[in-house]
């Protein structure tokens, strides 16, 4: 497996985790990977639930700012894959 294939696989797995967290917070799974969290029924408490669930699944603390800056499933999955220090706190 190449580094690119490994990175893509990691991002795909993160995207699946994000979808699961969104579905739990929203109470439905009627959204695409490009829909904006707050336009498909999301709200601030739901955003906190998403980052809490993702943090538990990934074993690290995730700032709610990451979701606000990346409000789509695909964007949030990519941001989590980068694992930048400012995304933690």
């Amino acid at each position: 497996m190449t580094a690119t294939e490994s990175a893509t696989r990691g991002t795909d797995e993160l995207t699946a985790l994000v979808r699961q967290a969104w579905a739990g917070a929203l109470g439905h799974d009627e959204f695409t990977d490009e829909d904006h969290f707050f336009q498909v029924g999301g709200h601030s408490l739901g955003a906190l639930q998403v980052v809490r669930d993702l943090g538990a699944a990934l074993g690290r603390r995730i700032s709610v700012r990451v979701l606000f800056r990346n409000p789509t499933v695909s964007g949030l999955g990519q941001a989590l894959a980068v694992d930048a220090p400012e995304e933690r706190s």
Side-chain angles (χ1 to χ4, degrees):
M1 179 179 299
T2 67
T4 302
E5 289 171 335
S6 179
T8 300
R9 181 174 161 213
T11 302
D12 290 346
E13 291 171 7
L14 286 170
T15 300
L17 282 174
V18 172
R19 278 189 211 108
Q20 183 179 4
W22 276 37
L26 295 170
H28 66 81
D29 62 359
E30 298 174 14
F31 52 84
T32 70
D33 288 355
E34 300 306 321
D35 284 335
H36 192 288
F37 181 76
F38 297 102
Q39 293 176 345
V40 292
H43 47 74
S44 58
L45 291 176
L48 292 173
Q49 181 180 341
V50 167
V51 297
R52 180 199 67 205
D53 292 350
L54 289 171
L58 297 172
R60 62 181 176 173
R61 187 173 173 169
I62 299 170
S63 171
V64 72
R65 286 177 290 170
V66 177
L67 187 142
F68 281 100
R69 291 178 182 160
N70 304 280
T72 65
V73 169
S74 60
L76 185 53
Q78 290 173 3
L80 293 173
V82 170
D83 193 29
E86 68 267 7
E87 292 174 2
R88 297 181 185 187
S89 63

